[in-house]
Amino acid sequence: MSLDPPTYLNSLQNNIRARPIPWEGAVRAGTITDQDLKKIKAVDKVRKEQRKQTVEADVGTYRDLLLGGDSGKSVLESAAKRADVVQYILVLTGDLLNDVPGLPSALLDHSDPYKAFLPLLTYSSNPEDPIPLLTSSVLASLIAAAQTKFPKSTPQTDEALPKLYKYLAGLTKSQDSGLQDIAVQEYSAVLRTKKSRELFWKQRQETVGPLVEILRTAGGAGKDTDSTLWSGGASIRTATDAGLGGGVGLQVLYHVLLALWQLSYEGSLVGKGLEEEHEIIPLYTQLLRLSPKEKTTRLLLSTLVNLLTPTSNRSYLLATAVSVRLPNLLSNLKGRHLTDSDLLDDLQSLTDMLNEYTSSQTTLDEYSAEVLAGHLKWSPPHRDQTFWHENASKIVTDNKGELPKKLAEIMGKSWDNDKQVLAIACNDVGWLVKECPEKRGELEKLGLKGRVMELMAEPDENVRYESLKAVGEWLRYSFDK
């Protein structure tokens, strides 16, 4: 998977290549040895083919130069106090890794191929400091080569990856899109194996969280605006080639989607967690509405296929997909002039999956799925007297009262940006009390009565109205008794 190098990083590397380094002074000061300087000059500022021939003719020597060996320390360790020399050597190392096909393999034959680089990731806490930035690029290239060279992950790589992930996670939290793009492209470079994706998921608070937040910003749904995801409030016309919501550029969006698409190949591991922690299905449905290019639409659809396909995910994630009206959106997508064959295959796979699921669902199944998804909307069952008369008892008692417990959890949130959810929950509680008065005590133990009474003081008039109705059912039962 080859991506164009991040512009920010490319510019930084070019600036460092153009800087004059007083090499002889560095030798006199003992920063590097005369032998090190001869090796450096033999490959510095020469044609690519000449550089390739020089290194391949003496690859062991260059391995010792960069990583250290029996004859001495790594040049990076020797020059640790000279930031300009370290920066230059890191850029040169990146160039050698790209230009000399045999060098990555030779470096990986070293007993500890990452030892010279890993300490440099923590050289500075400034995200714009060149040394950690350049180091992360070298490490990403070297780890990617290790994943190709060794069919099974090595202990050294398994130890290095979490440290690289930790550093890159800091870049994704930056407000600078150039730094974000460096991080997500380097994520993509190493998310090629099952082990690397498992380690990435293990650190998901650091790694996945900031990526999802970028997507939420692009979709016009930051942390406090969940209602946008569930209502589909934005339109395709709000997205442009220059950027989407919150100024997220199309390039950054694509690269974030690419990294999460790679992660989705561990669908059975990550599917439920992505939904529970990040509402990934509503988010991807919203981004599908906004997607301005086929390449982003393709990644969105393919990721959804990867997450929905595992049997362990289907009942939970398909229910959520139906709740956010993904089937309707897929139908609309089919009406567009789409040409990518992989995209069209994934679109059909998703449509078939959802059609099979919805054809077997009852109204109670649909209501249960909506409640368990954790976000309520005025779907038909909520105001259907027949539905409540036939199903209220099952709702209260099935699966040890799972649905009332979930209602209590939903009502425990403030829903500052979507008060409608609280109004609907109060409506549902009222129906349960009306149809199952004998279960009133069980509902009260869950805190539903107390919460409904609190909501009578809500500023939102719809919440006040529905909470008053629900309290009225409790009072009516008391009076009737």
Side-chain angles (χ1 to χ4, degrees), residues 8-9 12 120-136 166-176 178-180 182-183 186:
Y8 187 114
L9 184 62
L12 174 64
L120 298 178
L121 288 176
T122 55
Y123 179 87
S124 168
S125 59
N126 178 5
E128 296 182 6
D129 190 292
I131 287 179
L133 278 174
L134 296 167
T135 301
S136 71
K166 182 179 178 64
Y167 172 72
L168 296 179
L171 298 186
T172 61
K173 297 172 188 174
S174 168
Q175 297 303 305
D176 189 315
L179 295 177
Q180 290 176 337
I182 290 171
E186 290 177 12

Side-chain angles (χ1 to χ4, degrees), residues 205-456:
Q205 287 190 332
E206 289 180 303
T207 56
V208 177
L211 299 186
V212 173
E213 192 55 36
I214 292 171
L215 295 185
R216 291 174 71 89
T217 301
K223 286 182 178 178
D224 299 321
T225 53
D226 288 342
S227 59
T228 304
L229 296 182
W230 290 81
S231 64
S235 143
I236 187 73
R237 287 184 289 277
T238 65
T240 67
D241 286 2
L244 285 87
V248 176
L250 182 58
Q251 175 172 289
V252 172
L253 173 69
Y254 176 76
H255 292 149
V256 172
L257 291 175
L258 181 62
L260 291 176
W261 168 72
Q262 290 170 276
L263 178 65
S264 75
Y265 275 88
E266 307 307 320
S268 58
L269 172 68
V270 308
K272 286 186 178 180
L274 283 172
E275 182 56 32
E276 290 170 354
E277 297 169 24
H278 301 292
E279 294 191 324
I280 200 72
I281 302 300
L283 175 58
Y284 268 55
T285 301
Q286 172 71 352
L287 290 170
L288 270 175
R289 293 187 182 99
L290 293 166
S291 179
K293 295 286 186 179
E294 279 201 16
K295 66 179 185 178
T296 50
T297 300
R298 180 177 66 245
L299 285 174
L300 288 161
L301 290 173
S302 184
T303 302
L304 287 170
V305 169
N306 289 344
L307 294 177
L308 292 170
T309 297
T311 305
S312 58
N313 294 347
R314 285 201 169 194
S315 60
Y316 180 45
L317 298 187
L318 286 172
T320 305
V322 171
S323 295
V324 295
R325 302 190 290 278
L326 179 58
N328 294 341
L329 178 58
L330 297 179
S331 179
N332 292 338
L333 282 176
K334 285 189 170 183
R336 294 187 199 168
H337 182 63
L338 301 170
T339 58
D340 185 279
S341 59
D342 290 335
L343 183 159
L344 292 170
D345 288 344
D346 287 333
L347 180 57
Q348 189 60 51
S349 294
L350 273 177
T351 301
D352 292 343
M353 236 187 291
L354 286 160
N355 285 343
E356 180 183 349
Y357 174 78
T358 54
S359 66
S360 65
Q361 297 300 289
T362 65
T363 307
L364 178 57
D365 291 330
E366 293 172 7
Y367 173 79
S368 300
E370 183 183 327
V371 173
L372 293 174
H375 197 114
L376 307 178
K377 61 183 186 298
W378 282 117
S379 54
H382 294 286
R383 286 172 164 152
D384 185 340
Q385 182 176 354
T386 302
F387 168 79
W388 290 106
H389 184 69
E390 293 177 351
N391 295 294
S393 180
K394 294 178 184 176
I395 289 171
V396 173
T397 59
D398 281 4
N399 296 321
K400 298 180 181 179
E402 178 183 38
L403 293 178
K405 289 175 184 175
K406 187 65 178 181
L407 278 175
E409 179 187 320
I410 292 170
M411 293 180 73
K413 300 178 182 179
S414 61
W415 297 99
D416 291 334
N417 291 283
D418 196 3
K419 291 295 184 182
Q420 172 181 266
V421 173
L422 292 175
I424 299 168
C426 288
N427 167 84
D428 293 3
V429 171
W431 277 111
L432 292 176
V433 175
K434 181 177 182 178
E435 295 295 333
C436 302
E438 73 282 1
K439 301 293 185 182
R440 183 172 60 111
E442 295 176 25
L443 298 174
E444 194 167 338
K445 286 178 182 178
L446 294 175
L448 289 170
K449 181 180 180 181
R451 181 57 173 153
V452 166
M453 293 181 73
E454 288 176 6
L455 293 174
M456 290 193 295

